[in-house]
Amino acid sequence: VQLQASGGGLVQAGGSLRLSCAASGRTFSSHIMGWFRQAPGKEREFVACIRWGGGRTYYSDSVKGRFAVSRDNAKNTMYLQMNSLKPEDTAVYYCARALRYGEHPSNYNYWGQGTQVTVSS
């Protein structure tokens, strides 16, 4: 499985971005796919995830109500729509495929390369 994250960039506070995560290789119809982020000097933290089969979503408290994760089965692509962005959302964002449900990175075994999101104040 290979994951390719894209869509990052520089945006002003209050703005929006949409990240994409394209998967190649084995399909993951029964898996959980997630988004994480890592700011300089901080640990990688859970942002959101989605159960590919049923579409159920989960969010961290810090992004709930502002971010939305979705997937396109036909394109094998996951998205993260980020609205009302804040400077504290600045980080490298990673997509990943889970071994099991959980918010710790150790639950994920395939990772994309990351895409930088910078929110200016």
Side-chain angles (χ1 to χ4, degrees):
V1 174
Q2 291 185 331
L3 304 175
Q4 180 76 32
S6 62
L10 173 64
V11 64
Q12 289 188 332
S16 299
L17 280 175
R18 189 177 81 155
L19 306 183
S20 299
C21 176
S24 59
R26 292 182 62 185
T27 59
F28 39 82
S29 60
S30 62
H31 287 91
I32 293 172
M33 296 290 296
W35 288 99
F36 286 75
R37 66 187 182 187
Q38 188 165 18
K42 295 188 176 181
E43 293 185 351
R44 192 167 296 189
E45 66 169 348
F46 171 80
V47 174
C49 67
I50 185 168
R51 291 188 182 273
W52 204 261
R56 185 171 180 177
T57 57
Y58 306 83
Y59 299 93
S60 69
D61 288 342
S62 61
V63 307
K64 198 173 296 181
R66 300 188 297 123
F67 291 10
V69 59
S70 61
R71 88 279 194 228
D72 185 324
N73 290 352
K75 295 182 178 179
N76 262 6
T77 300
M78 176 176 64
Y79 303 98
L80 184 67
Q81 178 67 43
M82 305 186 295
N83 300 323
S84 302
L85 283 161
K86 305 175 181 179
E88 51 263 43
D89 294 318
T90 295
V92 177
Y93 283 70
Y94 298 90
C95 60
R97 193 191 82 173
L99 286 166
R100 66 189 73 83
Y101 173 74
E103 297 184 1
H104 196 275
S106 63
N107 291 297
Y108 291 74
N109 60 340
Y110 288 101
W111 292 85
Q113 85 289 1
T115 183
Q116 175 71 46
V117 171
T118 303
V119 184
S120 62
S121 57

